[in-house]
């Protein structure tokens, strides 16, 4: 019995087809059939019923499938343990980031990691924060930079990069431009321009408003903070963004929202189970972002 035979057997069980399984594992159809026959001979039992139009597991095959998966899982754990002992980092990492992300420390961390470990393949996945959280939970994304309201998900590992208030941004001639602050109730009298649902900034606005029994009037949505500000510049509504997003622009006046007690949070999150490659990437992230501090300056929280 060989490990590759177990891999072939699992592929046939998953695909219910010798032909599709052969394509999946990059072997000829006669080749995979011969290997499965050899496995059956070694075990002394028929594992796959070939009498129908699809390849179906026999009762014995069902039992063997569970053990085969366990063996391959153990082999993966063994390989990971050896890699850790040898200090090897390889494999593939999927990194999630909020749409229109311009957070430089993340890019610096990815660059530093790539230079140190060129053998690890990195792929990026952009989406809104709510979806990225689910991707990390289900294991299709290893590490993600997300925006959230108040705090990052407590069931995932990670740390808060920045926590700051949401603010209103208006053209200089707007009635609110002369104000030092505005309440959410006062703000609700104006049409708002904001990021869409699923983003941390929008969740912060919605939660802070709901706590006061208010429902904000969202006139327009845009997925990038820059677009939100451009729309507000043209008088299409009051922009609601985080303080850092509006800090370096000159076309709008930033007005504090005095009773928005829910902070906007930018956080790095990852699943509890970590490969050696992911642990190395997290080290680079800590070096790039620095130790977590609530007031850490980030040039932009774009897309959070």
């Amino acid at each position: 019995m060989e490990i590759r035979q177990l891999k072939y057997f699992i592929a046939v069980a998953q695909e219910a087809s010798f032909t599709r399984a052969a394509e999946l594992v990059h072997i000829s159809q006669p080749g995979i059939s011969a290997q499965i026959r050899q496995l059956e001979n070694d075990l002394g039992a028929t594992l796959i019923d070939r009498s129908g139009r699809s390849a179906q597991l026999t009762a014995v095959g069902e039992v063997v499938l569970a053990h085969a998966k366990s063996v391959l899982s153990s082999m993966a754990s063994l390989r990971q343990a050896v890699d850790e002992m040898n200090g090897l980092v390889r494999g593939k990492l999927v990194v999630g980031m909020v749409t229109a992300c311009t957070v430089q420390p993340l890019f610096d961390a990815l660059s530093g990691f790539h230079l140190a470990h060129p053998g690890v393949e990195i792929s990026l996945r952009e989406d809104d924060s709510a979806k990225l959280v689910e991707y990390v939970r289900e294991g299709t994304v290893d590490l993600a930079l997300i925006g959230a309201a108040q705090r990052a998900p407590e069931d995932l590992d990670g740390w808060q990069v920045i926590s700051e208030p949401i603010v209103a941004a208006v053209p200089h001639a707007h009635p609110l431009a002369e104000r030092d602050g505005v309440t959410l109730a006062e703000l609700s009298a104006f049409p708002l321009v904001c990021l869409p649902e699923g983003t941390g900034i929008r969740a912060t606005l919605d939660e802070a408003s709901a706590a006061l029994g208010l429902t904000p009037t969202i006139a327009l949505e845009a997925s990038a903070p820059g677009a939100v500000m451009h729309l507000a510049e043209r008088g299409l509504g009051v922009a609601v963004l985080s303080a850092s997003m509006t800090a370096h622009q000159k076309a709008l006046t930033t007005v504090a929202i005095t009773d928005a007690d829910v902070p906007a949070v930018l956080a790095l999150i990852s699943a509890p189970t970590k490969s050696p490659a992911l642990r190395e990437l997290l080290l680079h992230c800590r070096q790039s972002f620095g130790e977590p501090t609530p007031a850490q300056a980030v040039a932009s929280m774009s897309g959070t």
Side-chain angles (χ1 to χ4, degrees):
M1 184 189 310
E2 300 178 7
I3 296 297
R4 62 173 178 166
Q5 293 171 342
L6 297 180
K7 292 181 179 178
Y8 297 159
F9 170 65
I10 291 173
V12 173
Q14 290 175 340
E15 299 296 323
S17 166
F18 282 89
T19 301
R20 291 195 299 271
E23 294 173 352
L24 183 65
V25 297
H26 307 293
I27 188 176
S28 67
Q29 193 275 335
I32 197 170
S33 296
Q35 290 296 325
I36 298 300
R37 285 289 189 192
Q38 185 60 52
L39 178 62
E40 289 176 321
N41 289 337
D42 290 342
L43 294 175
T46 300
L47 306 180
I48 298 175
D49 183 355
R50 301 164 175 80
S51 62
R53 299 184 62 180
S54 61
Q56 299 296 322
L57 294 181
T58 64
V60 176
E62 294 283 359
V63 173
V64 172
L65 177 63
H67 286 283
K69 289 180 177 179
S70 177
V71 168
L72 292 187
S73 176
S74 296
M75 288 295 295
S77 297
L78 174 61
R79 170 60 66 185
Q80 179 174 322
V82 172
D83 286 351
E84 291 176 355
M85 292 298 293
N86 290 336
L88 298 176
V89 178
R90 60 187 180 186
K92 178 179 179 179
L93 289 175
V94 181
V95 178
M97 59 185 185
V98 287
T99 303
C101 175
T102 60
V103 179
Q104 298 301 316
L106 175 63
F107 304 147
D108 293 340
L110 293 175
S111 175
F113 175 82
H114 176 67
L115 289 173
H117 307 288
V120 179
E121 178 185 349
I122 300 175
S123 61
L124 297 177
R125 186 168 186 174
E126 283 188 296
D127 217 318
D128 66 49
S129 295
K131 290 180 181 176
L132 290 174
V133 169
E134 291 308 311
Y135 297 152
V136 172
R137 284 192 177 121
E138 67 188 23
T140 56
V141 168
D142 298 293
L143 172 73
L145 181 71
I146 65 154
Q150 198 153 207
R151 65 179 65 85
E154 295 181 351
D155 61 317
L156 297 172
D157 288 347
W159 73 91
Q160 179 177 294
V161 173
I162 189 171
S163 176
E164 60 179 350
I166 55 172
V167 297
V170 296
H172 301 312
H174 193 278
L176 294 177
E178 300 299 322
R179 300 275 299 272
D180 292 329
V182 62
T183 66
L184 284 169
E186 292 171 328
L187 199 60
S188 65
F190 298 92
L192 305 182
V193 185
C194 194
L195 298 173
E197 292 184 355
T199 60
I201 298 299
R202 180 61 175 274
T204 299
L205 172 63
D206 290 345
E207 286 190 24
S209 298
L212 298 173
L214 301 171
T215 302
T217 302
I218 308 298
L220 293 171
E221 295 178 346
S223 60
V228 171
M229 287 186 279
H230 285 310
L231 292 169
E233 288 173 22
R234 289 156 178 78
L236 294 171
V238 176
V240 177
L241 295 166
S242 71
S244 66
M245 288 177 178
T246 63
H248 303 288
Q249 58 78 41
K250 298 179 180 179
L252 299 173
T253 297
T254 299
V255 182
I257 303 176
T258 58
D259 56 352
D261 296 330
V262 178
V265 169
L266 187 68
L268 280 164
I269 60 170
S270 61
T273 301
K274 295 173 179 58
S275 66
L278 178 54
R279 285 200 291 271
E280 285 295 313
L281 177 56
L282 286 169
L283 289 176
H284 282 270
C285 286
R286 289 194 177 276
Q287 292 170 0
S288 182
F289 281 98
E291 287 301 312
T293 57
Q296 182 176 1
V298 175
S300 171
M301 285 174 60
S302 296
T304 61

